[in-house]
């Protein structure tokens, strides 16, 4: 993961694969601190999000031609998140599997290989509470959100949260 402006960009990549035609994995992310804004498919296989709003997110990918395969590495999918809270964040991959059309001598027909999965961690500095829209700039847009909610009772944790004192 990397921080770009007021967002986190996470790239899910594969490296060092040989004759791969499919994959499956789950992506865990800190959903209470982040909001998923965009999903871009990479250039390596065709990735599909089975549960784009769930956590963990189910990522599946395959070659359009089930008999074709890819070798090498590249990006599977890129995800862009808005940051609502700061702190140390962990993005984890789990329950991964790979499929290949050509079998290794030690494999049996239909056998699925398990990949080595690497998690990503990043520490994010939170914007101040008075940056109501969390764009890392305190300006008139924050003041407008405050004015629209002036005198109102704020419950829960709305996004954006105009209660800068967090006292309701």
């Amino acid at each position: 993961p990397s921080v770009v402006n007021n967002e986190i960009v996470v790239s899910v990549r594969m490296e060092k694969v040989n004759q791969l035609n499919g994959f499956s994995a789950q992506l865990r992310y800190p959903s209470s601190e982040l909001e998923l804004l965009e999903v871009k498919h990479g250039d390596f296989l065709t990735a599909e999000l089975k549960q784009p709003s769930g956590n963990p997110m189910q990522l599946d990918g395959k070659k359009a031609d089930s008999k074709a395969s890819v070798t090498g590495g590249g990006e599977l999918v890129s995800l862009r998140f808005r940051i609502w809270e700061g702190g140390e964040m962990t993005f984890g991959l789990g329950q991964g599997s790979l499929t290949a059309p050509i079998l290794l001598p030690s494999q049996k027909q239909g056998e699925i290989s398990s990949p080595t999965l690497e998690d990503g961690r990043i520490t994010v500095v939170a914007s101040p509470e008075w940056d109501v829209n969390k764009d890392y700039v305190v300006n008139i847009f924050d003041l407008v959100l405050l004015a629209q909610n002036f005198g109102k009772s704020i419950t829960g944790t709305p996004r954006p949260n105009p209660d800068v004192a967090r006292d309701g």
Side-chain angles (χ1 to χ4, degrees):
S2 61
V3 176
V4 178
N5 299 322
N6 64 326
E7 300 169 348
I8 291 181
V9 177
V10 175
S11 177
V12 179
R13 302 183 55 82
M14 280 194 169
E15 302 294 335
K16 301 177 186 173
V17 298
N18 188 21
Q19 297 179 332
L20 179 71
N21 72 349
F23 77 95
S24 179
Q26 290 183 342
L27 173 67
R28 296 177 312 279
Y29 64 97
S31 57
S32 61
E33 290 92 2
L34 302 174
E35 173 188 0
L36 181 62
L37 298 176
E38 180 183 35
V39 177
K40 284 186 181 177
H41 299 286
D43 54 0
F44 195 71
L45 293 177
T46 303
E48 178 184 336
L49 294 175
K50 291 283 187 172
Q51 299 171 332
S53 60
N55 191 11
M57 228 182 262
Q58 181 66 41
L59 302 169
D60 290 322
K62 62 182 177 180
K63 283 294 284 180
D65 176 4
S66 62
K67 294 181 182 177
S69 62
V70 294
T71 297
E75 184 175 72
L76 298 170
V77 67
S78 173
L79 305 127
R80 192 169 55 90
F81 298 91
R82 174 182 301 279
I83 302 167
W84 288 104
E85 300 293 331
E88 185 173 351
M89 298 183 187
T90 301
F91 296 83
L93 289 170
Q95 296 187 2
S97 63
L98 306 172
T99 55
I102 299 172
L103 300 176
L104 300 173
S106 62
Q107 286 183 306
K108 297 175 185 164
Q109 186 67 33
E111 188 173 14
I112 296 175
S113 300
S114 296
T116 301
L117 304 173
E118 295 183 19
D119 296 341
R121 287 183 176 71
I122 191 168
T123 301
V124 176
V125 177
S127 63
E129 297 303 327
W130 49 90
D131 178 14
V132 178
N133 63 1
K134 301 297 184 191
D135 64 357
Y136 287 77
V137 178
V138 178
N139 55 21
I140 190 70
F141 300 111
D142 300 296
L143 186 58
V144 168
L145 289 168
L146 290 172
Q148 289 173 338
N149 293 281
F150 188 76
K152 293 181 181 176
S153 179
I154 306 296
T155 58
T157 54
R159 291 181 176 170
N161 190 346
D163 182 13
V164 297
R166 302 295 191 252
D167 61 3

